[in-house]
């Protein structure tokens, strides 16, 4: 295994950021869950709703990628850093799936993605610098909130939009697993005021990304 210097990691982070925002992120070999589903007959309003929701979810995955990269920069224990990097690779799958689905229904991804990414890298780096237990606790709480957010989107999507639903169901499963991973790795429970602040900032981002 190669030992990367801090400069190596910064440059790797820049490369991942560019891929996330402007290119093709490195993904796993998992198939897109929507490939096994037939396209339902969606009216214009349903296509627009799916487009808005997929834009929000894509922006959330951009933020998640930034969060993971920021935390991996400042994580102290190699095992914790490896867990972050493995989870980040699965988040890239979500990025590709959400962007593709948004395009399929005639929509686009958020124009503010660079802002979401930069802010999340900063937050992730601060969380990582606070210590691995706090960093993992922050990650676990973030993923738990994402799961609740995805459950809300699944309730809003029409039943016959099977492609969008398949993507969100797989994302929900992955995010729940990431939260469990962070908890098992030693993540500490965050104080209630911090959880509330995280919910507020998440709501601000999702409401903005819904339209822009």
């Amino acid at each position: 295994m190669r030992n990367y210097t801090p400069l190596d990691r910064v440059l790797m982070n820049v490369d991942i950021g560019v891929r996330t925002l402007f290119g093709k992120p490195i993904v796993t070999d998992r198939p897109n869950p929507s490939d096994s589903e037939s396209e339902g007959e969606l009216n214009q309003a349903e296509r627009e709703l799916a487009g808005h929701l997929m834009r929000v979810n894509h922006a959330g995955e951009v933020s998640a990628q930034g969060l993971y990269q920021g935390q991996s920069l400042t994580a102290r224990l190699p095992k914790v850093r490896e867990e972050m990097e493995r989870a980040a690779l699965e988040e890239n799958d979500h990025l590709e799936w959400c962007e593709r689905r948004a395009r399929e229904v005639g929509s686009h991804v958020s124009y503010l993605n660079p802002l979401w990414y930069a802010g999340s890298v900063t937050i992730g780096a601060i969380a990582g610098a606070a210590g691995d237990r706090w960093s993992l606790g922050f990650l676990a709480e973030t993923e738990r909130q994402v799961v609740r957010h995805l459950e809300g989107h699944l309730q809003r999507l029409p039943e016959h939009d099977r492609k969008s639903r398949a993507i969100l169901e797989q994302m929900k499963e992955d995010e729940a697993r990431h939260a469990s991973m962070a908890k098992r790795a030693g993540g500490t429970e965050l104080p209630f005021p911090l959880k509330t602040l995280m919910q507020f900032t998440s709501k601000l981002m999702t409401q903005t990304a819904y339209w822009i």
Side-chain angles (χ1 to χ4, degrees):
M1 294 289 291
R2 176 181 174 183
N3 293 320
Y4 293 106
T5 67
L7 179 59
D8 287 333
R9 294 195 172 278
V10 169
L11 293 176
M12 290 165 63
N13 188 280
V14 170
D15 177 69
I16 291 171
V18 171
R19 289 175 180 271
T20 298
L21 297 172
F22 306 111
K24 290 292 184 181
I26 300 173
V27 298
T28 70
D29 58 358
R30 295 191 298 173
N32 186 319
S34 70
D35 287 345
S36 60
E37 300 291 341
S38 59
E39 183 68 83
E41 293 187 10
L42 306 179
N43 60 37
Q44 185 59 32
E46 290 169 338
R47 292 176 66 85
E48 289 179 0
L49 174 61
H52 284 306
L53 296 183
M54 283 301 170
R55 184 185 308 137
V56 169
N57 288 310
H58 183 271
E61 295 305 323
V62 168
S63 298
Q65 190 61 245
L67 183 65
Y68 278 117
Q69 298 310 318
Q71 288 175 302
S72 70
L73 281 174
T74 54
R76 291 169 172 78
L77 299 177
K79 180 173 177 54
V80 172
R81 185 180 297 116
E82 290 169 8
E83 293 283 6
M84 298 285 187
E85 292 170 350
R86 188 176 306 118
L89 193 58
E90 291 188 352
E91 299 290 351
N92 276 345
D93 290 346
H94 302 171
L95 270 174
E96 196 276 332
W97 299 343
C98 288
E99 179 172 5
R100 175 175 150 188
R101 185 56 183 159
R103 306 294 186 195
E104 286 175 350
V105 295
S107 189
H108 60 83
V109 298
S110 175
Y111 297 127
L112 299 179
N113 278 341
L115 176 63
W116 311 138
Y117 186 83
S120 296
V121 169
T122 302
I123 293 171
I126 293 172
D132 287 334
R133 285 172 55 85
W134 285 103
S135 180
L136 289 166
F138 185 83
L139 174 59
E141 178 59 27
T142 298
E143 298 291 31
R144 283 194 290 264
Q145 291 188 16
V146 170
V147 168
R148 292 195 292 270
H149 159 85
L150 290 170
E151 288 172 346
H153 278 200
L154 284 165
Q155 291 175 359
R156 296 179 64 184
L157 280 171
E159 287 292 335
H160 53 279
D161 186 359
R162 293 180 291 274
K163 282 185 171 290
S164 297
R165 297 184 70 85
I167 291 171
L168 298 193
E169 289 285 5
Q170 184 60 58
M171 287 171 60
K172 177 183 168 184
E173 179 182 321
D174 291 344
E175 306 298 7
R177 179 162 38 80
H178 295 166
S180 298
M181 173 274 293
K183 194 68 176 177
R184 288 196 308 271
T188 190
E189 191 71 19
L190 300 185
F192 179 75
L194 182 54
K195 290 182 181 181
T196 303
L197 178 61
M198 291 170 64
Q199 290 172 348
F200 173 78
T201 55
S202 175
K203 186 175 182 179
L204 179 64
M205 186 275 287
T206 55
Q207 289 184 344
T208 303
Y210 186 89
W211 298 107
I212 304 175

